Amino acid sequence: MKDHVYKILDLVGSSEKSIEDAVQNAITRASKTIREMKWFEIVQTRGHIENGTVRHYQVTLRVGFTLEG
């Protein structure tokens, strides 16, 4: 088994639809510039309330990716 070294970064995703969509938006956007993402952990969830209705979700993720080389 190979030894792996991971770099960890924080991402914040947002969505008007759901928490899951906010997570997917963050991962999809990050995958355009970051290779070898392997796992994520949700570290914070927030939302915006307007007139008694949830209007926006925001999720902070900790993402691990394998270092190359």
Side-chain angles (χ1 to χ4, degrees):
M1 180 176 175
K2 280 179 26 176
D3 292 329
H4 295 284
V5 175
Y6 296 95
K7 173 92 175 151
I8 298 173
L9 67 102
D10 289 339
L11 300 173
V12 178
S14 61
S15 171
E16 293 180 348
K17 295 178 185 177
S18 67
I19 291 168
E20 291 84 0
D21 197 48
V23 170
Q24 189 61 59
N25 288 343
I27 297 296
T28 298
R29 175 59 184 89
S31 69
K32 293 178 181 179
T33 57
I34 300 167
R35 294 183 301 277
E36 299 299 326
M37 287 189 291
K38 300 297 185 189
W39 54 266
F40 73 90
E41 169 187 14
I42 296 174
V43 295
Q44 190 174 51
T45 305
R46 291 179 297 282
H48 174 77
I49 301 169
E50 190 175 298
N51 298 322
T53 303
V54 176
R55 301 295 295 165
H56 201 85
Y57 301 90
Q58 192 175 54
V59 180
T60 302
L61 308 171
R62 184 163 293 134
V63 177
F65 61 97
T66 307
L67 293 177
E68 295 178 351

